[in-house]
């Protein structure tokens, strides 16, 4: 099939071309994000492949339908950037990669926790400069700490398992209960209990109208002073101005972010020679207890290989008229 692939980076092209040898699709790679101004670049493609910061809103879907697009193949798990109702209206089907490597994101979550706690990023720079002072580098034992996971799906569960290995008590809030998680020693609690009892809170739920700004002034007030918040889920799970205020008030002790609400204008690009105009983002960078990575939690070679494989399998199933096991639909 002819596939237009938006937001491509050299690493996408490498893995897509490698895996495509089994499938033989006709690939057209575009560097730009999909939005109202770029949808017109799709010509002669029934399939459009998207990533996290492509914007498939209703206007874009209308344009794509007019250009003959029949399938949106998301090469990610989250689908908050796609207007599913508009897709249904225009007869465009949507598939995603629900799981590629929960380990990649869970392990990055742990990297953020350990770095914030033990300050290895600061120690690395100090030692390079011959500064062996330990002032300001003191951490705490993870052993015995209570970690709350908001969302206990594939990534949350792997994160919980790893944290059990550190000797943490792991609490979870999720509307769906999973018996295997209980067997692993993870404890389901109410959201209020999780917020009140956790020393570290990590977000692993999808971004939905219900979870939008789930971390806000009110919920942060329910947390222990000095709490660590980690977000490898989606940026808009956190109300950024409220987070900045809570950091300034020294109520929140540490913040580790791999995602940011306004990341579409920043992440995945080298902006080191430019003026960044997002004041909230720049303010976050000034806190010594905030660590930000640019949406790299998924970025392992195992995950990229698996993403390409599942994306092409989804497209092959569509081409064959087979059951689309990874389809996402409005209202589900
Ligand atoms: P999943 O679908 O396996 O698990 C999500 C869990 O969240 C489910 O168990 C669901 O019941 C739960 N949930 C739904 N609404 C909730 C609510 N209101 N409160 C608490 N829990 C709720 O998804 P998976 O694979 O674990 O991924 C989780 C999220 O991680 C994705 O939606 C995506 O946004 C993000 N992600 C981030 C990546 C990165 O590179 N930073 C890469 C992959 C995913």
């Amino acid at each position: 099939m002819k596939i237009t692939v938006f937001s491509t980076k050299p690493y996408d092209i490498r893995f897509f071309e490698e895996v495509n040898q089994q499938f033989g699709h006709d690939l057209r790679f575009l560097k730009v994000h999909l939005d109202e101004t770029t949808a017109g670049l799709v010509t002669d493609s029934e399939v459009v492949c998207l990533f996290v910061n492509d914007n498939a809103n209703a206007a874009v879907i209308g344009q794509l339908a007019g250009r003959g697009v029949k399938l949106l193949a998301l090469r990610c798990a989250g689908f908050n950037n796609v207007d599913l109702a508009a897709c249904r209206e225009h007869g465009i089907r949507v598939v995603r990669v629900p799981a590629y490597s929960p380990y990649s994101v869970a392990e990055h979550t742990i990297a953020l926790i350990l770095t914030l706690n033990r300050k290895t990023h600061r120690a690395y720079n100090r030692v390079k400069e011959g500064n062996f002072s330990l002032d300001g580098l003191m951490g705490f034992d993870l052993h015995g700490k209570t970690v709350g996971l908001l969302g206990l799906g594939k990534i949350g569960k792997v994160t919980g398992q790893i944290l059990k290995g550190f000797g943490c008590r792991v609490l979870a809030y999720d509307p769906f209960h999973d018996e295997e998680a209980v067997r692993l020693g993870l404890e389901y609690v109410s959201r209020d209990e999780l917020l009140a009892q956790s020393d570290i809170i990590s977000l692993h739920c999808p971004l939905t109208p219900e979870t939008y700004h789930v971390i806000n002034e009110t919920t942060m007030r329910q947390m222990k002073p000095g709490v660590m918040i980690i977000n490898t889920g989606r940026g808009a799970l956190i109300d950024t101005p409220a987070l900045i205020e809570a950091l300034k008030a020294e109520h929140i002790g540490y913040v580790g972010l791999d995602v940011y609400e306004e990341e579409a204008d920043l992440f995945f690009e080298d902006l080191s020679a430019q003026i960044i105009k997002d004041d909230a983002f720049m303010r976050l960078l000034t806190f010594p207890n905030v660590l930000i990575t640019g949406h790299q939690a998924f970025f392992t070679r195992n995950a990229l290989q698996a993403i390409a494989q599942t994306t092409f399998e989804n497209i092959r199933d569509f081409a064959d008229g087979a059951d689309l096991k990874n389809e996402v639909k409005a209202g589900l």
Side-chain angles (χ1 to χ4, degrees):
M1 300 207 84
K2 287 197 174 163
I3 307 168
T4 301
V5 188
F6 278 89
S7 303
T8 45
K9 296 288 178 196
Y11 45 82
D12 295 310
I13 297 174
R14 183 182 138 205
F15 283 93
F16 266 41
E17 284 186 335
E18 215 171 276
V19 176
N20 192 38
Q21 286 172 15
Q22 307 160 42
F23 294 88
H25 294 299
D26 182 356
L27 304 176
R28 180 165 178 236
F29 294 108
L30 298 179
K31 285 185 185 168
V32 290
H33 289 328
L34 173 67
D35 61 22
E36 283 100 326
T37 64
T38 58
L41 295 171
V42 178
T43 50
D44 199 21
S45 277
E46 267 186 90
V47 184
V48 165
C49 180
L50 307 182
F51 196 48
V52 291
N53 290 324
D54 290 308
N55 183 2
N57 62 26
V60 170
I61 297 299
Q63 283 195 57
L64 293 179
R67 309 187 80 79
V69 172
K70 300 275 185 281
L71 180 74
L72 292 191
L74 302 175
R75 56 182 193 280
C76 53
F79 48 89
N80 51 286
N81 52 338
V82 177
D83 188 325
L84 294 176
C87 289
R88 185 177 52 193
E89 194 183 311
H90 289 284
I92 294 181
R93 299 179 77 182
V94 182
V95 286
R96 65 172 179 146
V97 182
Y100 37 91
S101 165
Y103 309 103
S104 62
V105 183
E107 289 169 14
H108 192 75
T109 300
I110 304 298
L112 290 174
I113 294 173
L114 290 174
T115 308
L116 277 166
N117 175 18
R118 304 307 298 268
K119 301 164 185 68
T120 41
H121 55 314
R122 299 180 69 189
Y124 171 83
N125 286 324
R126 277 193 197 181
V127 170
K128 277 210 155 206
E129 289 179 4
N131 175 358
F132 305 104
S133 157
L134 299 183
D135 285 343
L137 299 184
M138 194 185 297
F140 56 83
D141 288 1
L142 263 183
H143 183 91
K145 290 288 176 291
T146 300
V147 184
L149 306 175
L150 211 51
L152 197 63
K154 292 175 283 297
I155 294 170
K157 215 156 71 178
V158 173
T159 307
Q161 269 180 284
I162 298 172
L163 288 164
K164 287 297 283 183
F166 277 99
C168 296
R169 178 178 179 217
V170 182
L171 308 180
Y173 170 70
D174 193 306
F176 297 99
H177 284 205
D178 171 348
E179 284 312 313
E180 196 204 343
V182 176
R183 276 196 300 278
L184 292 169
L186 315 180
E187 302 169 46
Y188 284 105
V189 292
S190 69
R191 203 184 75 177
D192 286 349
E193 285 173 276
L194 183 147
L195 295 174
Q197 292 182 30
S198 301
D199 302 297
I200 299 171
I201 295 176
S202 190
L203 310 181
H204 301 289
C205 52
L207 175 62
T208 62
E210 199 193 319
T211 61
Y212 175 77
H213 284 185
V214 62
I215 302 301
N216 54 43
E217 192 188 337
T218 310
T219 51
M220 281 189 283
R221 236 187 273 124
Q222 289 175 262
M223 297 176 192
K224 283 184 180 178
V227 65
M228 179 188 289
I229 299 175
I230 304 289
N231 187 9
T232 58
R234 282 291 179 268
L237 295 173
I238 298 184
D239 176 346
T240 308
L243 179 68
I244 290 171
E245 288 312 311
L247 278 160
K248 282 161 70 178
E250 299 185 29
H251 178 58
I252 303 299
Y254 312 79
V255 174
L257 305 176
D258 185 54
V259 286
Y260 171 64
E261 192 164 1
E262 304 299 332
E263 70 177 51
D265 294 333
L266 300 171
F267 287 2
F268 306 119
E269 304 301 330
D270 178 0
L271 304 181
S272 53
Q274 294 184 33
I275 306 295
I276 293 177
K277 301 201 174 73
D278 184 328
D279 289 346
F281 184 79
M282 295 314 281
R283 182 67 179 101
L284 280 175
L285 290 182
T286 66
F287 294 101
N289 50 352
V290 173
L291 179 67
I292 304 180
T293 53
H295 209 137
Q296 70 172 80
F298 74 99
F299 199 56
T300 65
R301 70 174 73 87
N302 316 68
L304 288 177
Q305 215 275 339
I307 286 170
Q309 185 73 31
T310 304
T311 301
F312 289 139
E313 284 172 6
N314 287 340
I315 295 169
R316 181 200 55 204
D317 289 348
F318 174 78
D320 293 350
D323 182 37
L324 296 185
K325 62 178 184 299
N326 295 323
E327 184 165 20
V328 279
K329 290 182 182 168
L332 287 182

